Amino acid sequence: MLTGKQRAYLRSLAQKEDCILYVGKAGVTDAVIAEARDALAARELVKGRVQEACLYTAAEAQQALCQACGAEGVQVIGRVFVLYKKSEKAAKIALPKG
């Protein structure tokens, strides 16, 4: 579980990131889950967007992806969401203590 301080730090890092994960009208498909897993393995912090035609809200899409990928939800604003998963091999983001 992320603490409030860690979540705030990750939100500040996510501000500078571009959306690289898109959930379309088909919803959270196997392809979206695979793309999220790959992006989380490479970056640890991923910003995604739910398209207008999608039946999911950003919070629903984030929750589904967190469950499927073992990630943690950092933030949801409008149609944009942020996911975080610490790399098992080499952590790139040093989270602040508690």
Side-chain angles (χ1 to χ4, degrees), residues 12-82:
S12 72
L13 293 178
Q15 272 186 326
K16 302 167 194 145
E17 297 294 320
D18 293 326
C19 289
I20 61 166
L21 184 65
Y22 291 93
V23 180
K25 70 179 183 180
V28 180
T29 62
D30 291 338
V32 173
I33 292 169
E35 187 176 339
R37 281 190 182 131
D38 292 345
L40 285 166
R43 297 177 176 229
E44 293 185 324
L45 189 67
V46 175
K47 190 186 255 187
R49 178 182 295 273
V50 174
Q51 300 297 322
E52 286 186 34
C54 184
L55 299 177
Y56 282 75
T57 65
E60 292 168 341
Q62 180 190 47
Q63 186 177 15
L65 286 168
C66 284
Q67 289 176 351
C69 299
E72 294 200 49
V74 175
Q75 177 179 23
V76 175
I77 296 179
R79 291 193 178 109
V80 177
F81 59 90
V82 180

